[in-house]
Amino acid sequence: MRATQVQREIRYREESDDARLMRIMLEERNPLRVEFEAAVAEGGMTYRTRQTVGMSVSLSPESFPESFGDRILYWAESLGSKEVLLQYGHTLVHIDQGPTGRLDVEVAARELKAAREIAQEFITRFECKEEKEQSSRVRVSFWRNCSPVPDSNDRFLDAVQWQDISENYAATTTVKLSRLMDLTGQEVKGGRLILWHGKPGTGKTYAIRALAQQWKRWCDIYYITDPEALLGNPSYLLHLILEDAEDENRWRLLVMEDTGELLSIDAKHSVGQALSRLLDTTEGLLGQGLRVLFLITTNDELGKLNPAVTRHGRCLSAVEFSPLTRDESRKWLVRSGVDTQPNGALTLSDLYAFVNGDSTASQPARIGFQACDPLP
């Protein structure tokens, strides 16, 4: 690598001021990236492949077998980031883990087949470690509109297994959710819009966590903190749906909670072109060929939503989150250790309130006249 450094210094003297500034910025954020690029150029490694392993793996010397010790050329750590540069036969492997925890593997080789095989070897190694150690967590990217470009923060959320929470939903809701949970990227056909509607407290947010866990192998979850800005600002929307994917086979799910006003009958009058942009993205020319799905939740009734959204063929899945029936509520309470007879259908939040001792919150109000003693 000493010869590589000398050659690189010669190239530095020939670069423009703009190129020098970009290189300095790159060295500060990814110190081994410049080393990797210079070695690739000098080694004539024409082919390269890059993949994201995951968010749960912790990069450390223990991540590599003992036989890899003499293959590690550089190990760099700075500001929560870690980078490793390895020489693997006639190929170079650059492994980068940023402050968010995302682990990327890039392999450069003289033959495409060799690059892919070695990349897959590292992917398999780290994926097995991730599945074994951190299978109970899922990554969610929280997006917001910023200047000059939108920005995001990645967070790990405790995973929720669908089979563990399926009994929290009414039977009709469970059937539709189960079909959606079992879906794979290859099976996505038709519309790109997923619509969840129902009263507050029926468990929509909890179901999102379960969906993120079920889909994490093939889909990235983007939680939109400002839905109005996303659909009101074309550049914001284009940035998210046209962002270069590190793995072209992965999908993106853009989640927008409690955004019924964007889908209402008078949406165009109240929020401008937001609804039109959403429909163009899910079914129009803009969305053609993109691996992007939208999940929108609303507390509004289906009849209050714009027919253009709810028409057949536009939604990949439309699920109504109904309260549990009286019988389902009684069985749920019995499983939770409360043997009582509810007055009627209850939402999930009502049931948990009942278990926690707030019985007044869980009993639906009775409508009608109360019987009274006859007059003397």
Side-chain angles (χ1 to χ4, degrees), residues 5-16:
Q5 293 174 2
V6 172
Q7 294 293 331
R8 189 183 60 184
E9 289 171 358
I10 294 174
R11 288 198 299 271
Y12 283 0
R13 288 195 291 269
E14 297 174 352
E15 63 190 2
S16 64

Side-chain angles (χ1 to χ4, degrees), residues 23 50 125 132 175 209 229 252 290 296 312 350:
R23 174 181 55 77
R50 179 182 178 89
R125 181 185 305 278
K132 180 179 179 180
V175 170
R209 293 174 58 189
R252 300 169 196 167
L290 299 178
I296 294 182
H312 180 72
D350 288 337

Side-chain angles (χ1 to χ4, degrees), residues 265-281:
I265 294 177
D266 62 342
K268 187 172 183 179
H269 177 267
S270 59
V271 293
Q273 296 296 323
L275 177 60
S276 299
R277 290 196 181 98
L278 174 64
L279 299 181
D280 288 342
T281 306

Side-chain angles (χ1 to χ4, degrees), residues 170-289:
T172 54
T173 304
T174 300
V175 170
K176 291 186 176 182
L177 283 179
S178 295
R179 294 173 184 168
L180 192 61
M181 297 289 175
D182 293 337
L183 198 66
T184 64
Q186 293 77 15
E187 297 171 339
V188 176
K189 306 293 182 183
R192 295 292 189 263
L193 178 63
I194 301 171
L195 177 60
W196 290 357
H197 59 98
K199 295 181 179 180
T202 48
K204 295 186 290 294
T205 299
Y206 221 60
I208 292 175
R209 293 174 58 189
L211 187 67
Q213 166 66 11
Q214 291 291 117
W215 287 8
K216 70 178 184 179
R217 288 297 179 188
W218 60 273
C219 185
D220 296 322
I221 309 300
Y222 288 9
Y223 187 95
I224 310 303
T225 61
D226 47 2
E228 298 83 0
L230 177 70
L231 298 180
N233 186 341
S235 60
Y236 183 12
L237 178 62
L238 289 174
H239 180 86
L240 262 63
I241 66 174
L242 299 179
E243 180 188 23
D244 291 336
E246 294 172 348
D247 183 353
E248 62 181 11
N249 293 320
R250 288 190 66 81
W251 286 74
R252 300 169 196 167
L253 176 66
L254 277 59
V255 179
M256 295 181 281
E257 284 197 284
D258 300 328
T259 53
E261 69 277 4
L262 301 178
L263 310 178
S264 62
I265 294 177
D266 62 342
K268 187 172 183 179
H269 177 267
S270 59
V271 293
Q273 296 296 323
L275 177 60
S276 299
R277 290 196 181 98
L278 174 64
L279 299 181
D280 288 342
T281 306
T282 57
E283 196 178 45
L285 291 176
L286 184 59
Q288 292 299 310

Side-chain angles (χ1 to χ4, degrees), residues 166-174 199 201-202 320-335 340-351 354 362-364:
S166 59
E167 293 181 341
N168 288 341
Y169 300 91
T172 54
T173 304
T174 300
K199 295 181 179 180
T202 48
E320 179 181 4
F321 283 69
S322 305
L324 277 70
T325 65
R326 181 181 179 184
D327 186 55
E328 290 171 339
S329 298
R330 183 187 63 81
K331 292 179 180 179
W332 191 98
L333 289 170
V334 170
R335 289 194 300 268
T340 188
Q341 188 64 252
N343 292 333
L346 299 177
T347 65
L348 186 60
S349 61
D350 288 337
L351 291 169
F354 198 103
S362 61
Q363 293 293 346

Side-chain angles (χ1 to χ4, degrees), residues 8 24 42 55 67 78-79 84 126 130 136 139 159 178 197 223 256-257 279 299 345 347 353 355 366:
R8 189 183 60 184
I24 293 174
E42 291 172 4
M55 294 292 297
S67 59
S78 61
L79 300 176
V84 184
F126 284 118
E130 177 185 17
S136 62
R139 175 176 63 96
S178 295
H197 59 98
Y223 187 95
M256 295 181 281
E257 284 197 284
L279 299 181
N299 298 328
T347 65
V355 171
R366 294 185 177 183

